Structures are given as structure tokens and as C-alpha cells.
């Protein structure tokens, strides 16, 4: 519960100078603690050198997405062409364009994602787009859910929950309906726990114990902590 500025000053004191590499490092540290404004502060002051232009645009886009500044996030993501960041930037761009209702751009981005050879991610994003547009008959309906597809669903759920997109998160939860996998309650419980939704987390752990008779040490630690 230390003042965030005091934490910044303490961390900065460990470095002789705050150069580009240090600024990226500090931005990632605060990003991992969901302090998106501070994370953005560090990289927004970086002078774009040639080698860091792509990296800077990518991370600016990520932090702006989590700050719900979808228009500016999209502007930064569209500057990214480097293959190291391109796929992730495209999926995040789909969400940004979707949330500001630029549906033509969403369709164009989905077409780009089709070239990635990531069928599970594409299926989940296609279904989510359909869901947000109000179509209940998503592509995932009636699909055999593989481990990879389930992981892709949870990847999206985490991005939504971390971004505090609660309404959209709750809609996406229906992707988990009727999936016969005894790890779902544990995974959902840990997801809620990681982002501070402790009451919801505890309920999912209890469901796992009662319905599937399944619990693990990580989840028990979380329950004890709650």
C-alpha cells in the first residue's frame, strides 16, 4: 500500500540512468502489476530509435488497450509490422476495433489473422466478434473443445478481465458452457484470483471440489489466502 510514486522513485534509484532499455524494463514491471498508467508513462517518453520503433508502438498499444483508450491503441498497433509482435498486435487490434464498433476494420483484421495458421485463436476471436455483435449462434457452438481451443478461450478471457471489460468478459464466459473438462472451475478460479476477484474465485474452487472432486496445491493456497 505504498504510494505508487514512492515505488517508482525507489526502483529508479537502482539504475544509474533511465535509458531506453531501463524504461522498457520498468514499464514491464508496472504492467505486470496492472499499473498501466505508470507503464505507459515510461515508454511514452522514449525517443524512438530505429531499432525500437516497432517495440515502442507495440507496447504503447498494449498499455493503451488496458487503459481503454482503444482509438489510440489501434493507431499504435497499425504501425507494427515486425513478426515478433505482429500476431499479438492484430488480435488486440480486433478487440480495439470491435469495442469502438469499427466493424469493417474488424473484418479486415480477421482476414489478416486467417494467415497466421492459428485456427483455435481465430475460431475464438471470430466467435467473440459474433457474440458482441449480438449473434448467439457462434462458431464455437457445438464444436469439440480440444485442449488448445480451451487454452485459446482462457487467453481471451484473461485479456478481457485484465482490461476490466467486465460486460464483455461475462458474455465470453458462455464459451465455457457445456464443456466437459474438469479443469475449468480451477482455471477460472485462478484467473479470478490473479485479478483480485476473490469472492468469485472462491466460488469456482468450491464448485471444482463439489462437482469434480478436484483441487490442487495452487488453488488451496489461493483459498487459504482468500
Amino acid at each position: 500500500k505504498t504510494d505508487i510514486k514512492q515505488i517508482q522513485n525507489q526502483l529508479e534509484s537502482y539504475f544509474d540512468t533511465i535509458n531506453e532499455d531501463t524504461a522498457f524494463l520498468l514499464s514491464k514491471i508496472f504492467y505486470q502489476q496492472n499499473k498501466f498508467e505508470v507503464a505507459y508513462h515510461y515508454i511514452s517518453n522514449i525517443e524512438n530509435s530505429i531499432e525500437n520503433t516497432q517495440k515502442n508502438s507495440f507496447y504503447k498499444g498494449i498499455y493503451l488497450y488496458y487503459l481503454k483508450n482503444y482509438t489510440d491503441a489501434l493507431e499504435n498497433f497499425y504501425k507494427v509490422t515486425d513478426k515478433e509482435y505482429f500476431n499479438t498486435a492484430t488480435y488486440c487490434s480486433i478487440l480495439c476495433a470491435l469495442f469502438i464498433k469499427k466493424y469493417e476494420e474488424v473484418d479486415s483484421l480477421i482476414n489478416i489473422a486467417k494467415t497466421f495458421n492459428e485456427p483455435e485463436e481465430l475460431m475464438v476471436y471470430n466467435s467473440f466478434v459474433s457474440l458482441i455483435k449480438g449473434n448467439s449462434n457462434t462458431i464455437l457452438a457445438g464444436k469439440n473443445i480440444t485442449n488448445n481451443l480451451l487454452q485459446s478461450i482462457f487467453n481471451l478471457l484473461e485479456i478481457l478481465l485484465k482490461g476490466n471489460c467486465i460486460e464483455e468478459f461475462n458474455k465470453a464466459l458462455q464459451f465455457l458452457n457445456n464443456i466437459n473438462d474438469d479443469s475449468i472451475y480451477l482455471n477460472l478460479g485462478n484467473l479470478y484470483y490473479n485479478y483480485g476477484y476473490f469472492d468469485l474465485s472462491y466460488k469456482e474452487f468450491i464448485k471444482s471440489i463439489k462437482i469434480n472432486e478436484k483441487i490442487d496445491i495452487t488453488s488451496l493456497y489461493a483459498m487459504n489466502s482468500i
Side-chain angles (χ1 to χ4, degrees):
K1 298 184 180 180
T2 306
D3 178 73
I4 194 70
K5 190 63 181 176
Q6 186 179 339
I7 295 172
Q8 283 181 256
N9 292 337
Q10 182 67 46
L11 286 174
E12 288 178 16
S13 73
Y14 300 138
F15 301 97
D16 294 329
T17 183
I18 306 299
N19 56 27
E20 286 188 5
D21 291 338
T22 307
F24 274 120
L25 176 61
L26 288 168
S27 77
K28 287 183 181 179
I29 289 170
F30 284 97
Y31 167 70
Q32 288 170 357
Q33 299 302 316
N34 299 330
K35 302 297 182 184
F36 306 122
E37 287 186 14
V38 182
Y40 182 75
H41 159 76
Y42 281 109
I43 63 165
S44 64
N45 295 323
I46 293 175
E47 291 293 330
N48 271 347
S49 60
I50 293 174
E51 63 269 22
N52 276 334
T53 300
Q54 295 278 315
K55 183 178 179 181
N56 199 10
S57 294
F58 174 74
Y59 282 106
K60 274 186 178 180
I62 292 292
Y63 302 151
L64 286 166
Y65 163 79
Y66 285 115
L67 288 168
K68 293 194 170 188
N69 187 342
Y70 302 126
T71 300
D72 287 349
L74 205 55
E75 183 179 330
N76 278 278
F77 285 137
Y78 281 165
K79 296 176 183 176
V80 176
T81 57
D82 191 302
K83 63 181 180 181
E84 181 179 354
Y85 309 111
F86 186 66
N87 288 23
T88 302
T90 300
Y91 290 124
C92 288
S93 295
I94 291 171
L95 296 180
C96 290
L98 182 63
F99 294 159
I100 57 178
K101 298 183 178 180
K102 290 190 173 182
Y103 295 142
E104 287 186 7
E105 292 185 37
V106 172
D107 293 340
S108 297
L109 291 161
I110 288 288
N111 285 332
I112 292 172
K114 288 177 181 177
T115 67
F116 295 162
N117 194 27
E118 296 174 350
E120 291 88 1
E121 293 286 334
L122 180 62
M123 193 181 302
V124 168
Y125 275 80
N126 253 325
S127 293
F128 183 66
V129 167
S130 180
L131 195 65
I132 295 302
K133 286 182 177 180
N135 182 3
S136 58
N137 296 318
T138 67
I139 296 170
L140 285 179
K143 286 284 181 183
N144 291 323
I145 305 297
T146 63
N147 288 336
N148 287 341
L149 187 54
L150 187 58
Q151 183 59 56
S152 294
I153 293 171
F154 270 98
N155 289 343
L156 175 62
L157 288 173
E158 181 168 12
I159 291 170
L160 296 173
L161 193 62
K162 185 171 186 173
N164 201 31
C165 304
I166 303 304
E167 182 181 347
E168 293 83 0
F169 174 86
N170 287 331
K171 287 182 179 179
L173 276 178
Q174 66 184 269
F175 292 155
L176 299 177
N177 292 347
N178 304 316
I179 295 178
N180 186 23
D181 188 298
D182 63 3
S183 68
I184 284 178
Y185 298 128
L186 285 185
N187 290 337
L188 199 51
N190 281 303
L191 181 60
Y192 281 134
Y193 180 79
N194 290 338
Y195 293 99
Y197 295 88
F198 298 130
D199 287 345
L200 293 172
S201 173
Y202 201 88
K203 288 176 182 177
E204 294 300 324
F205 292 139
I206 292 296
K207 280 185 191 176
S208 183
I209 293 170
K210 288 186 174 181
I211 296 172
N212 294 325
E213 298 184 346
K214 184 171 183 174
I215 198 70
D216 59 22
I217 190 65
T218 303
S219 306
L220 282 172
Y221 175 83
M223 292 179 76
N224 185 59
S225 177
I226 295 166

